[in-house]
Amino acid sequence: MKILTTGGAGYIGSHTCLELLQAGHEVVAVDNLCNSKEESLKRVQEITGRSLSFHRVDLLDRTALAAVFRSHEIEAVLHFAGLKAVGESVRVPLRYYHNNITGTVVLCEVMEEFGVKTIVFSSSATVYGNPSTVPVTEGFPVSPENPYGRTKLMIEEILRDLQAADSEWRVA
């Protein structure tokens, strides 16, 4: 498969790119590099002996993102991109809401435009707030306590609504 990883140069994204390449998939990575370095993807390519396509793109830039989809036949998206610091999200909540939620909406709109309706979203345990017991399971009630966690939960809900409205969407 040809898989797009958003936030592909970040910690989870780059490790996922490595696994995808080792499994024989073609990888297209996009990242705005605000929390990552392109060097991580160079290392992935050195480790695997395989190349991937990297595009320095911000998900808020619809035109640039569409150009990536136009130049590759993307089949699925693994969505890791987003601002991720809990403390920072409390200090600048609007930045988190705009970046994480609007970026995901733009991504989904571009995916739909190009007929790509398979997405895996990397959420966060922060959606569960301060659970009474650990380990946390997906059946726990959600109650995020900070803007970062709330963006993750809102994105989960957006993706549920998208799938409910169009059963062709495959969301995990």
Side-chain angles (χ1 to χ4, degrees), residues 48-66:
T48 62
R50 297 194 57 219
S51 63
L52 56 78
S53 178
F54 172 68
H55 301 269
R56 186 173 183 172
V57 169
D58 191 306
L59 295 184
L60 296 169
D61 185 345
R62 179 186 311 272
T63 302
L65 186 59

Side-chain angles (χ1 to χ4, degrees), residues 7-166:
Y11 182 79
I12 296 172
S14 64
H15 283 75
T16 301
C17 288
L18 184 132
E19 293 295 326
L20 290 170
L21 288 171
Q22 288 179 329
H25 298 287
E26 293 179 58
V27 175
V28 178
V30 297
D31 200 304
N32 68 7
L33 302 179
C34 76
N35 281 318
S36 58
K37 298 199 179 317
E38 188 176 352
E39 180 64 28
S40 63
L41 293 175
K42 292 177 182 173
R43 290 183 184 148
V44 164
Q45 293 174 94
E46 289 172 11
I47 291 167
T48 62
R50 297 194 57 219
S51 63
L52 56 78
S53 178
F54 172 68
H55 301 269
R56 186 173 183 172
V57 169
D58 191 306
L59 295 184
L60 296 169
D61 185 345
R62 179 186 311 272
T63 302
L65 186 59
V68 172
F69 275 80
R70 198 171 294 108
S71 63
H72 300 280
E73 293 182 17
I74 305 297
E75 297 173 68
V77 173
L78 301 180
H79 182 27
F80 304 112
L83 298 175
K84 61 182 180 176
V86 169
E88 182 182 59
S89 79
V90 173
R91 288 189 305 279
V92 289
L94 291 178
R95 181 173 180 228
Y96 273 68
Y97 289 117
H98 179 66
N99 184 81
N100 294 0
I101 296 169
T102 305
T104 300
V105 169
V106 170
L107 172 65
C108 290
E109 288 172 344
V110 172
M111 288 175 66
E112 191 164 55
E113 178 184 339
F114 286 88
V116 179
K117 294 186 175 184
T118 300
I119 186 170
V120 174
F121 171 58
S122 178
S123 191
S124 170
T126 60
V127 300
Y128 300 106
N130 189 14
S132 58
T133 62
V134 291
V136 176
T137 67
E138 288 187 25
F140 275 43
V142 292
S143 58
E145 297 179 347
N146 54 69
Y148 167 70
R150 282 189 279 279
T151 68
K152 290 295 192 170
L153 181 57
M154 288 176 190
I155 293 166
E156 288 182 17
E157 294 297 334
I158 289 166
L159 294 173
R160 274 196 260 297
D161 289 344
L162 183 60
Q163 188 174 34
D166 181 350

